[in-house]
Amino acid sequence: MRFWLAGALALAAHAAPAWAAPITLDEAIAAAETHAPSLAMARAEADAADKRADAARAAGGPTATLTGSIGWGRLDPGGYFGLTATDVTPRAAQVGIEQPLFAGGRISGARMTARAGAEAAEAGVLQRRTTLRADVAQAFGGVLATQAGLQSASGLVKAVAVAANQAKLRFKAGEVPSTDVQQAEARLAEAEAVLANATGHNDAARARFHRLTGLSPDSLAALPGSPPLPATLDEAIGEAETRSPALAQAEAGLAAARGQARMAKAEGLPQVAAYAEASSVRDQFFPGYRGDLASAGVRGRWNFFASGRIRAEGQAADATVRAAEARLADARGSVREMVIAAFANVRSTGLAAEAAVRQKRASEAALASVKQEVRVGLKPTLALLDAERDAAQAAMQAANADAQRIATAWGLRALLGRE
């Protein structure tokens, strides 16, 4: 369903019919999950890690091998046993089955390492997916914020241009001093600079959104409310400790290090396996020779001396385990710190967004009043210019604050491993 939705959105973005519904944040996230090469790479790596884990699990089972050879030549025994030179077809075949009985920890260590690799890769997929969603939410809000900023800047330029023209007319009529004209022209230049800056920010935001989703942000729906989040900081920290992809990867790294240590130490222990073999040989030593053999038993191998190599590798593996333990402890502290900061940011950006909306409304009301007061001569042109600038800035701040609200909420979800 998600792939169908993303394909339909991509088609709509190219066709861009006038009746096309605005793209929602959920639709943008769905498109990004289909489009993102980094997520496809993470999924492929997870599939590969799963197969390596399957291979490691199979290492403890029996193996069967079949070997054979055939040749053509001439054999001359030199008269021994009364045999003369003759053409021969030497051939041999052997089939064998072997079942490991004891490997000193090699197999179990390899299984532990491969299983940890699969868990780390799966955590990587979750981390890439949740991070991608947070990035899309930030890009989605960024486009809306820069579009609002561009609209406010354009309106500011038009309003200040009108005020500047009026100031010139009133100066010519002797109603205002030349200072009003100069101030208006200065504010117009300032507004044009703001418009140029807003245009650049909007172009960059649109480019980032397109890179993440593959969609054109020509028509985006309004930002939705914040997604579900833990009600308290303690709940957020507890959830992160059990679901955080970063912690899952660190824990998998420790498990992999322990598996490697087990394999390293197993190099100094014997290996034992049960076997059964059957072989057949023809024309191998003299014409007409034949030999058949069937056997079963136990074979072993023990590398009991290696000039200190095995001991050194075991000590190195133990040190790697200690490093992985320290890395996990550091990851726990880092995740806790980031969750505390993210939770506080969610609260502060939510309050800031509410305050910015109130500021925007108050600035718009103040602008309407100042326009009337300037029209009847109660206030100078500069007051109108200030009010226009304040209203434009308030509108931009409100849009940016709303974008920050949604970005911090999805960022916290990424830290918690919520999809």
Side-chain angles (χ1 to χ4, degrees):
M1 178 64 181
R2 179 172 293 166
F3 293 97
W4 175 89
L5 178 59
L9 287 172
L11 180 61
H14 285 89
W19 46 264
I23 300 171
T24 66
L25 177 57
D26 287 341
E27 291 169 342
I29 289 174
E33 291 185 354
T34 303
H35 171 78
S38 59
L39 185 55
M41 178 181 66
R43 286 170 175 156
E45 290 174 348
D47 290 342
D50 284 339
K51 297 308 176 185
R52 286 193 290 269
D54 292 342
R57 282 191 293 268
T63 57
T65 58
L66 175 64
T67 59
S69 64
I70 185 170
W72 294 267
R74 186 170 180 79
L75 182 63
D76 186 359
Y80 282 97
F81 307 110
L83 299 175
T84 59
T86 185
D87 294 333
V88 294
T89 306
R91 54 196 183 277
Q94 183 180 36
V95 62
I97 299 176
E98 184 170 304
Q99 170 64 54
L101 299 179
F102 177 75
R106 294 172 179 84
I107 295 174
S108 60
R111 287 175 174 173
M112 181 185 298
T113 301
R115 184 169 58 251
E119 291 172 354
E122 192 61 35
V125 173
L126 177 59
Q127 185 174 49
R128 181 60 257 176
R129 184 186 298 118
T130 54
T131 301
L132 177 63
R133 292 183 174 191
D135 289 343
V136 172
Q138 184 182 46
F140 191 97
V143 170
L144 291 177
T146 56
Q147 285 178 347
L150 186 59
Q151 182 179 3
S152 296
S154 299
L156 178 63
V157 169
K158 293 178 182 178
V160 174
V162 170
N165 289 331
Q166 291 176 346
K168 291 177 181 178
L169 294 174
R170 296 180 67 186
F171 169 71
K172 291 179 180 179
E175 297 178 5
V176 297
S178 62
T179 304
D180 283 19
V181 176
Q182 294 166 354
Q183 289 174 334
E185 290 177 347
R187 291 296 177 84
L188 179 59
E190 180 186 37
E192 289 172 346
V194 171
L195 177 59
N197 191 44
T199 301
H201 285 310
N202 183 246
D203 290 343
R206 288 173 61 87
R208 183 166 188 260
F209 180 85
H210 179 72
R211 177 181 64 82
L212 289 172
T213 66
L215 303 177
S216 178
D218 293 328
S219 178
L220 300 183
L223 279 176
S226 298
L229 294 171
T232 65
L233 177 58
D234 288 341
E235 290 179 9
I237 293 174
E239 185 172 339
E241 289 176 347
T242 57
R243 298 180 56 177
S244 167
L247 284 183
Q249 288 181 314
E251 290 169 350
L254 175 57
R258 288 171 174 167
Q260 292 287 347
R262 181 175 295 183
M263 287 191 292
K265 295 174 182 178
E267 289 297 317
L269 297 174
Q271 302 179 66
V272 180
Y275 77 92
E277 294 177 346
S279 62
S280 175
V281 179
R282 298 291 185 271
D283 283 354
Q284 190 71 45
F285 304 109
F286 54 83
Y289 174 84
R290 62 176 295 164
D292 296 317
L293 174 67
S295 66
V298 177
R299 60 166 61 103
R301 181 177 180 274
W302 184 16
N303 188 7
F304 60 87
F305 179 74
S307 300
R309 175 184 63 82
I310 295 174
R311 180 182 178 185
E313 289 178 349
Q315 291 173 339
D318 286 340
T320 302
V321 170
R322 294 196 300 274
E325 290 172 342
R327 203 156 30 242
L328 175 57
D330 182 66
R332 285 199 177 102
S334 296
V335 168
R336 180 184 177 87
E337 178 184 355
M338 288 188 292
V339 169
I340 292 173
F343 193 87
N345 284 339
V346 168
R347 291 280 182 89
S348 61
T349 55
L351 294 174
E354 294 174 0
V357 170
R358 294 195 300 271
Q359 181 183 7
K360 177 185 176 183
R361 292 171 181 169
S363 298
E364 291 171 347
L367 174 60
S369 297
V370 171
K371 284 181 178 179
Q372 294 295 331
E373 294 170 349
V374 171
R375 185 176 294 113
V376 298
L378 294 178
K379 286 187 176 180
T381 304
L382 181 60
L384 176 60
L385 298 175
D386 288 341
E388 292 282 6
R389 182 174 60 182
D390 291 345
Q393 289 178 344
M396 294 178 188
Q397 290 172 358
N400 287 328
D402 203 29
Q404 285 295 314
R405 171 190 62 81
I406 201 72
T408 55
W410 281 92
L412 176 56
R413 287 176 65 90
L415 286 175
L416 302 180
R418 282 196 184 187
E419 297 190 68

